[in-house]
PDB file of all heavy atoms in Angstrom:
ATOM      1  N   TYR A 146      -7.110   7.748  -8.204  1.00 98.00           N
ATOM      2  CA  TYR A 146      -8.394   6.941  -8.253  1.00 98.00           C
ATOM      3  C   TYR A 146      -9.515   7.745  -8.875  1.00 98.00           C
ATOM      4  O   TYR A 146     -10.231   7.268  -9.792  1.00 98.00           O
ATOM      5  CB  TYR A 146      -8.736   6.427  -6.871  1.00 98.00           C
ATOM      6  CG  TYR A 146     -10.072   5.625  -6.820  1.00 98.00           C
ATOM      7  CD1 TYR A 146      -9.969   4.253  -7.067  1.00 98.00           C
ATOM      8  CD2 TYR A 146     -11.240   6.217  -6.617  1.00 98.00           C
ATOM      9  CE1 TYR A 146     -11.134   3.442  -7.046  1.00 98.00           C
ATOM     10  CE2 TYR A 146     -12.394   5.481  -6.612  1.00 98.00           C
ATOM     11  CZ  TYR A 146     -12.304   4.061  -6.845  1.00 98.00           C
ATOM     12  OH  TYR A 146     -13.521   3.357  -6.865  1.00 98.00           O
ATOM     13  N   GLY A 147      -9.749   8.964  -8.437  1.00 97.00           N
ATOM     14  CA  GLY A 147     -10.911   9.684  -8.912  1.00 97.00           C
ATOM     15  C   GLY A 147     -10.955  10.052 -10.329  1.00 97.00           C
ATOM     16  O   GLY A 147     -12.048  10.011 -10.929  1.00 97.00           O
ATOM     17  N   SER A 148      -9.802  10.338 -10.882  1.00 97.00           N
ATOM     18  CA  SER A 148      -9.757  10.741 -12.255  1.00 97.00           C
ATOM     19  C   SER A 148      -9.219   9.716 -13.202  1.00 97.00           C
ATOM     20  O   SER A 148      -9.195   9.934 -14.441  1.00 97.00           O
ATOM     21  CB  SER A 148      -8.920  12.051 -12.411  1.00 97.00           C
ATOM     22  OG  SER A 148      -7.694  11.930 -11.650  1.00 97.00           O
ATOM     23  N   GLY A 149      -8.850   8.518 -12.698  1.00 98.00           N
ATOM     24  CA  GLY A 149      -8.482   7.399 -13.572  1.00 98.00           C
ATOM     25  C   GLY A 149      -7.196   7.629 -14.415  1.00 98.00           C
ATOM     26  O   GLY A 149      -7.128   7.218 -15.528  1.00 98.00           O
ATOM     27  N   ASN A 150      -6.272   8.352 -13.813  1.00 98.00           N
ATOM     28  CA  ASN A 150      -5.000   8.550 -14.510  1.00 98.00           C
ATOM     29  C   ASN A 150      -3.774   8.156 -13.629  1.00 98.00           C
ATOM     30  O   ASN A 150      -3.923   8.090 -12.380  1.00 98.00           O
ATOM     31  CB  ASN A 150      -4.894   9.976 -15.033  1.00 98.00           C
ATOM     32  CG  ASN A 150      -4.775  11.036 -13.927  1.00 98.00           C
ATOM     33  OD1 ASN A 150      -5.443  10.857 -12.903  1.00 98.00           O
ATOM     34  ND2 ASN A 150      -4.033  11.996 -14.181  1.00 98.00           N
ATOM     35  N   ALA A 151      -2.629   8.066 -14.258  1.00 98.00           N
ATOM     36  CA  ALA A 151      -1.432   7.732 -13.557  1.00 98.00           C
ATOM     37  C   ALA A 151      -0.315   8.736 -13.985  1.00 98.00           C
ATOM     38  O   ALA A 151      -0.271   9.083 -15.187  1.00 98.00           O
ATOM     39  CB  ALA A 151      -0.916   6.364 -13.730  1.00 98.00           C
ATOM     40  N   VAL A 152       0.507   9.157 -13.130  1.00 98.00           N
ATOM     41  CA  VAL A 152       1.498  10.256 -13.348  1.00 98.00           C
ATOM     42  C   VAL A 152       2.893   9.811 -12.820  1.00 98.00           C
ATOM     43  O   VAL A 152       2.952   9.254 -11.734  1.00 98.00           O
ATOM     44  CB  VAL A 152       1.125  11.533 -12.709  1.00 98.00           C
ATOM     45  CG1 VAL A 152       1.996  12.696 -13.157  1.00 98.00           C
ATOM     46  CG2 VAL A 152      -0.342  11.962 -12.974  1.00 98.00           C
ATOM     47  N   VAL A 153       3.897  10.084 -13.646  1.00 99.00           N
ATOM     48  CA  VAL A 153       5.276   9.866 -13.265  1.00 99.00           C
ATOM     49  C   VAL A 153       5.968  11.111 -12.998  1.00 99.00           C
ATOM     50  O   VAL A 153       5.929  12.017 -13.801  1.00 99.00           O
ATOM     51  CB  VAL A 153       6.027   9.052 -14.356  1.00 99.00           C
ATOM     52  CG1 VAL A 153       7.522   8.877 -13.994  1.00 99.00           C
ATOM     53  CG2 VAL A 153       5.449   7.704 -14.647  1.00 99.00           C
ATOM     54  N   PHE A 154       6.623  11.188 -11.809  1.00 99.00           N
ATOM     55  CA  PHE A 154       7.343  12.505 -11.468  1.00 99.00           C
ATOM     56  C   PHE A 154       8.771  12.095 -11.175  1.00 99.00           C
ATOM     57  O   PHE A 154       9.121  11.067 -10.593  1.00 99.00           O
ATOM     58  CB  PHE A 154       6.793  12.971 -10.090  1.00 99.00           C
ATOM     59  CG  PHE A 154       5.324  13.422 -10.091  1.00 99.00           C
ATOM     60  CD1 PHE A 154       4.322  12.600  -9.742  1.00 99.00           C
ATOM     61  CD2 PHE A 154       5.031  14.759 -10.399  1.00 99.00           C
ATOM     62  CE1 PHE A 154       3.007  13.046  -9.797  1.00 99.00           C
ATOM     63  CE2 PHE A 154       3.755  15.212 -10.393  1.00 99.00           C
ATOM     64  CZ  PHE A 154       2.764  14.322 -10.095  1.00 99.00           C
ATOM     65  N   PRO A 155       9.714  12.979 -11.625  1.00 98.00           N
ATOM     66  CA  PRO A 155      11.087  12.797 -11.289  1.00 98.00           C
ATOM     67  C   PRO A 155      11.314  13.214  -9.797  1.00 98.00           C
ATOM     68  O   PRO A 155      10.634  14.122  -9.310  1.00 98.00           O
ATOM     69  CB  PRO A 155      11.835  13.750 -12.276  1.00 98.00           C
ATOM     70  CG  PRO A 155      10.828  14.844 -12.526  1.00 98.00           C
ATOM     71  CD  PRO A 155       9.475  14.228 -12.436  1.00 98.00           C
ATOM     72  N   VAL A 156      12.344  12.622  -9.119  1.00 98.00           N
ATOM     73  CA  VAL A 156      12.686  13.012  -7.852  1.00 98.00           C
ATOM     74  C   VAL A 156      14.184  13.179  -7.732  1.00 98.00           C
ATOM     75  O   VAL A 156      14.976  12.325  -8.388  1.00 98.00           O
ATOM     76  CB  VAL A 156      12.190  12.020  -6.750  1.00 98.00           C
ATOM     77  CG1 VAL A 156      10.739  12.168  -6.531  1.00 98.00           C
ATOM     78  CG2 VAL A 156      12.629  10.591  -7.054  1.00 98.00           C
ATOM     79  N   ASN A 157      14.657  14.221  -7.049  1.00 98.00           N
ATOM     80  CA  ASN A 157      16.095  14.426  -6.905  1.00 98.00           C
ATOM     81  C   ASN A 157      16.389  14.770  -5.507  1.00 98.00           C
ATOM     82  O   ASN A 157      15.910  15.770  -4.963  1.00 98.00           O
ATOM     83  CB  ASN A 157      16.503  15.585  -7.837  1.00 98.00           C
ATOM     84  CG  ASN A 157      17.995  15.840  -7.785  1.00 98.00           C
ATOM     85  OD1 ASN A 157      18.802  15.090  -7.261  1.00 98.00           O
ATOM     86  ND2 ASN A 157      18.465  17.018  -8.264  1.00 98.00           N
ATOM     87  N   LYS A 158      17.056  13.874  -4.801  1.00 97.00           N
ATOM     88  CA  LYS A 158      17.328  13.983  -3.381  1.00 97.00           C
ATOM     89  C   LYS A 158      15.999  14.225  -2.642  1.00 97.00           C
ATOM     90  O   LYS A 158      15.939  15.083  -1.748  1.00 97.00           O
ATOM     91  CB  LYS A 158      18.295  15.073  -3.127  1.00 97.00           C
ATOM     92  CG  LYS A 158      19.701  14.790  -3.689  1.00 97.00           C
ATOM     93  CD  LYS A 158      20.701  15.842  -3.391  1.00 97.00           C
ATOM     94  CE  LYS A 158      22.069  15.536  -3.910  1.00 97.00           C
ATOM     95  NZ  LYS A 158      23.053  16.655  -3.702  1.00 97.00           N
ATOM     96  N   GLY A 159      14.954  13.518  -3.031  1.00 98.00           N
ATOM     97  CA  GLY A 159      13.674  13.585  -2.389  1.00 98.00           C
ATOM     98  C   GLY A 159      12.782  14.698  -2.929  1.00 98.00           C
ATOM     99  O   GLY A 159      11.570  14.677  -2.651  1.00 98.00           O
ATOM    100  N   HIS A 160      13.276  15.599  -3.659  1.00 98.00           N
ATOM    101  CA  HIS A 160      12.489  16.718  -4.169  1.00 98.00           C
ATOM    102  C   HIS A 160      11.711  16.280  -5.385  1.00 98.00           C
ATOM    103  O   HIS A 160      12.291  15.768  -6.369  1.00 98.00           O
ATOM    104  CB  HIS A 160      13.417  17.926  -4.497  1.00 98.00           C
ATOM    105  CG  HIS A 160      12.630  19.184  -4.869  1.00 98.00           C
ATOM    106  ND1 HIS A 160      12.160  19.346  -6.122  1.00 98.00           N
ATOM    107  CD2 HIS A 160      12.292  20.272  -4.095  1.00 98.00           C
ATOM    108  CE1 HIS A 160      11.557  20.520  -6.179  1.00 98.00           C
ATOM    109  NE2 HIS A 160      11.569  21.063  -4.958  1.00 98.00           N
ATOM    110  N   ILE A 161      10.413  16.452  -5.364  1.00 98.00           N
ATOM    111  CA  ILE A 161       9.553  16.072  -6.477  1.00 98.00           C
ATOM    112  C   ILE A 161       9.592  17.174  -7.569  1.00 98.00           C
ATOM    113  O   ILE A 161       9.246  18.313  -7.246  1.00 98.00           O
ATOM    114  CB  ILE A 161       8.116  15.767  -5.968  1.00 98.00           C
ATOM    115  CG1 ILE A 161       8.139  14.806  -4.837  1.00 98.00           C
ATOM    116  CG2 ILE A 161       7.274  15.226  -7.103  1.00 98.00           C
ATOM    117  CD1 ILE A 161       6.797  14.588  -4.182  1.00 98.00           C
ATOM    118  N   GLY A 162       9.847  16.765  -8.811  1.00 98.00           N
ATOM    119  CA  GLY A 162       9.912  17.789  -9.823  1.00 98.00           C
ATOM    120  C   GLY A 162       8.640  17.783 -10.652  1.00 98.00           C
ATOM    121  O   GLY A 162       7.603  17.172 -10.303  1.00 98.00           O
ATOM    122  N   VAL A 163       8.674  18.493 -11.823  1.00 98.00           N
ATOM    123  CA  VAL A 163       7.525  18.614 -12.741  1.00 98.00           C
ATOM    124  C   VAL A 163       7.233  17.255 -13.361  1.00 98.00           C
ATOM    125  O   VAL A 163       8.235  16.527 -13.727  1.00 98.00           O
ATOM    126  CB  VAL A 163       7.821  19.701 -13.768  1.00 98.00           C
ATOM    127  CG1 VAL A 163       6.707  19.816 -14.809  1.00 98.00           C
ATOM    128  CG2 VAL A 163       8.000  21.049 -13.158  1.00 98.00           C
ATOM    129  N   ALA A 164       5.978  16.919 -13.501  1.00 98.00           N
ATOM    130  CA  ALA A 164       5.647  15.561 -14.050  1.00 98.00           C
ATOM    131  C   ALA A 164       6.400  15.306 -15.321  1.00 98.00           C
ATOM    132  O   ALA A 164       6.429  16.116 -16.237  1.00 98.00           O
ATOM    133  CB  ALA A 164       4.089  15.533 -14.300  1.00 98.00           C
ATOM    134  N   ALA A 165       6.923  14.038 -15.401  1.00 98.00           N
ATOM    135  CA  ALA A 165       7.643  13.659 -16.609  1.00 98.00           C
ATOM    136  C   ALA A 165       6.672  13.109 -17.659  1.00 98.00           C
ATOM    137  O   ALA A 165       6.857  13.264 -18.866  1.00 98.00           O
ATOM    138  CB  ALA A 165       8.660  12.557 -16.261  1.00 98.00           C
ATOM    139  N   ASP A 166       5.553  12.479 -17.236  1.00 98.00           N
ATOM    140  CA  ASP A 166       4.559  11.903 -18.156  1.00 98.00           C
ATOM    141  C   ASP A 166       3.373  11.487 -17.382  1.00 98.00           C
ATOM    142  O   ASP A 166       3.434  11.321 -16.147  1.00 98.00           O
ATOM    143  CB  ASP A 166       5.144  10.731 -18.851  1.00 98.00           C
ATOM    144  CG  ASP A 166       4.515  10.597 -20.313  1.00 98.00           C
ATOM    145  OD1 ASP A 166       3.536  11.274 -20.611  1.00 98.00           O
ATOM    146  OD2 ASP A 166       5.100   9.810 -21.090  1.00 98.00           O
ATOM    147  N   GLN A 167       2.259  11.394 -18.082  1.00 98.00           N
ATOM    148  CA  GLN A 167       1.047  10.836 -17.450  1.00 98.00           C
ATOM    149  C   GLN A 167       0.193  10.153 -18.524  1.00 98.00           C
ATOM    150  O   GLN A 167       0.324  10.401 -19.754  1.00 98.00           O
ATOM    151  CB  GLN A 167       0.201  11.918 -16.757  1.00 98.00           C
ATOM    152  CG  GLN A 167      -0.309  13.051 -17.609  1.00 98.00           C
ATOM    153  CD  GLN A 167      -1.166  13.937 -16.788  1.00 98.00           C
ATOM    154  OE1 GLN A 167      -2.218  13.612 -16.260  1.00 98.00           O
ATOM    155  NE2 GLN A 167      -0.678  15.195 -16.603  1.00 98.00           N
ATOM    156  N   VAL A 168      -0.633   9.231 -17.999  1.00 98.00           N
ATOM    157  CA  VAL A 168      -1.543   8.456 -18.937  1.00 98.00           C
ATOM    158  C   VAL A 168      -2.997   8.522 -18.357  1.00 98.00           C
ATOM    159  O   VAL A 168      -3.149   8.469 -17.140  1.00 98.00           O
ATOM    160  CB  VAL A 168      -1.112   6.980 -19.033  1.00 98.00           C
ATOM    161  CG1 VAL A 168       0.193   6.876 -19.900  1.00 98.00           C
ATOM    162  CG2 VAL A 168      -0.898   6.324 -17.702  1.00 98.00           C
ATOM    163  N   GLN A 169      -3.920   8.696 -19.311  1.00 98.00           N
ATOM    164  CA  GLN A 169      -5.326   8.807 -18.877  1.00 98.00           C
ATOM    165  C   GLN A 169      -6.089   7.607 -19.429  1.00 98.00           C
ATOM    166  O   GLN A 169      -6.047   7.226 -20.604  1.00 98.00           O
ATOM    167  CB  GLN A 169      -5.938  10.078 -19.521  1.00 98.00           C
ATOM    168  CG  GLN A 169      -7.434  10.234 -19.219  1.00 98.00           C
ATOM    169  CD  GLN A 169      -7.745  10.454 -17.779  1.00 98.00           C
ATOM    170  OE1 GLN A 169      -7.190  11.338 -17.144  1.00 98.00           O
ATOM    171  NE2 GLN A 169      -8.593   9.594 -17.117  1.00 98.00           N
ATOM    172  N   HIS A 170      -6.796   6.920 -18.479  1.00 98.00           N
ATOM    173  CA  HIS A 170      -7.608   5.744 -18.872  1.00 98.00           C
ATOM    174  C   HIS A 170      -9.084   6.158 -19.142  1.00 98.00           C
ATOM    175  O   HIS A 170      -9.562   7.125 -18.594  1.00 98.00           O
ATOM    176  CB  HIS A 170      -7.574   4.657 -17.714  1.00 98.00           C
ATOM    177  CG  HIS A 170      -6.252   4.183 -17.410  1.00 98.00           C
ATOM    178  ND1 HIS A 170      -5.954   3.483 -16.300  1.00 98.00           N
ATOM    179  CD2 HIS A 170      -5.083   4.334 -18.117  1.00 98.00           C
ATOM    180  CE1 HIS A 170      -4.680   3.129 -16.280  1.00 98.00           C
ATOM    181  NE2 HIS A 170      -4.088   3.680 -17.316  1.00 98.00           N
ATOM    182  N   THR A 171      -9.701   5.362 -19.976  1.00 98.00           N
ATOM    183  CA  THR A 171     -11.158   5.668 -20.288  1.00 98.00           C
ATOM    184  C   THR A 171     -11.836   4.282 -20.353  1.00 98.00           C
ATOM    185  O   THR A 171     -11.222   3.235 -20.584  1.00 98.00           O
ATOM    186  CB  THR A 171     -11.321   6.342 -21.640  1.00 98.00           C
ATOM    187  OG1 THR A 171     -10.737   5.511 -22.705  1.00 98.00           O
ATOM    188  CG2 THR A 171     -10.731   7.704 -21.650  1.00 98.00           C
TER     189      THR A 171
END
Side-chain angles (χ1 to χ4, degrees):
Y146 179 87
S148 46
N150 65 323
V152 188
V153 174
F154 296 92
V156 289
N157 183 14
K158 296 181 180 179
H160 187 277
I161 306 171
V163 176
D166 209 349
Q167 63 176 295
V168 288
Q169 177 65 55
H170 300 166
T171 58

